[in-house]
Amino acid sequence: MRTPLVMGNWKLNGTKASVKSLIEGLEAAADAATNVEVAVCPPAIFMEQVANLTANNSIKFGAQDVSTHIDGAYTGETSPVMVKEFGATYSLVGHSERRQYHNETNEVVAAKFVAIQAHGLVPVLCIGETLEERESNVTSQVVETQLKAVIDVAGINAFENCVIAYEPIWAIGTGKVATSAQAQEVHAHIRNWLKAQSEVVAEKVQILYGGSVKAASAKELFAQADIDGGLVGGAALIITEFVGIIEGAK
Ligand code: PGA
């Protein structure tokens, strides 16, 4: 049995005040949901504040992105060692917004994945197709290529200790959630594709769905056999919505 994971991706949002009220608003629901893992990915500058606010509750946290470099002359970067020092558990890698706006190729994503694991963090590898790709019926090939790029570098066994987030790009921030059947179809495909390489990995790896998840859609999505929780953007910034999504994973 895989434990469901509900992870909030705050993206470029927050103030010290909103971070405090969000975590304080979530902690009771997170602690009560003993069979659900709850995590948030704040902007890096709020990581220490989140570390302090989560010291005595079950909420975990992660980075939204890290550098492949550990230290040195790389202005503006945050290293996985720094993120680990602040007590983070996870780091997202390969989010479509990083791929799109920061030109992160599959090769860059693979290098980051390796750096994240090398420094004791769990990578949350984001993959997913554009609307054009879905309409051209190449969704399976797109997610396979994205996974293969990482497996070629990190090895299949590295996936025993990672999370995959399937996020169809056309559903991110658009309000267009994939139907539970559409999502399950891709999740099952991903798991079967992994199974051909390692049954252990395929059984163990949590595959989250992301893309306009709301409290109203969470329960049905998470009831699908191969959907092990969600990566939540917009709705993670609204306490009642995010608590509803956690409830949906119970
Ligand atoms: P959304 O974002 O829930 O706002 O669609 C999801 C994500 O980008 O991780």
Side-chain angles (χ1 to χ4, degrees), residues 20-38:
K20 184 171 188 289
S21 75
L22 256 178
I23 297 289
E24 287 177 354
L26 290 178
E27 62 187 347
D31 287 348
T34 49
N35 63 342
V36 182
E37 293 170 346
V38 177

Side-chain angles (χ1 to χ4, degrees), residues 9 11 95 97 167 171-173 211-213 231-234:
N9 171 12
K11 308 193 180 186
H95 189 281
E97 287 150 17
E167 300 203 302
I172 295 179
S212 299
V213 177
L231 181 57
V232 185

Side-chain angles (χ1 to χ4, degrees), residues 124-145:
V124 180
L125 174 62
C126 304
I127 58 174
E129 81 288 3
T130 61
L131 184 58
E132 210 182 356
E133 288 164 341
R134 172 160 285 261
E135 287 173 347
S136 316
N137 291 318
V138 293
T139 298
S140 300
Q141 288 97 304
V142 170
V143 296
E144 284 170 22
T145 302

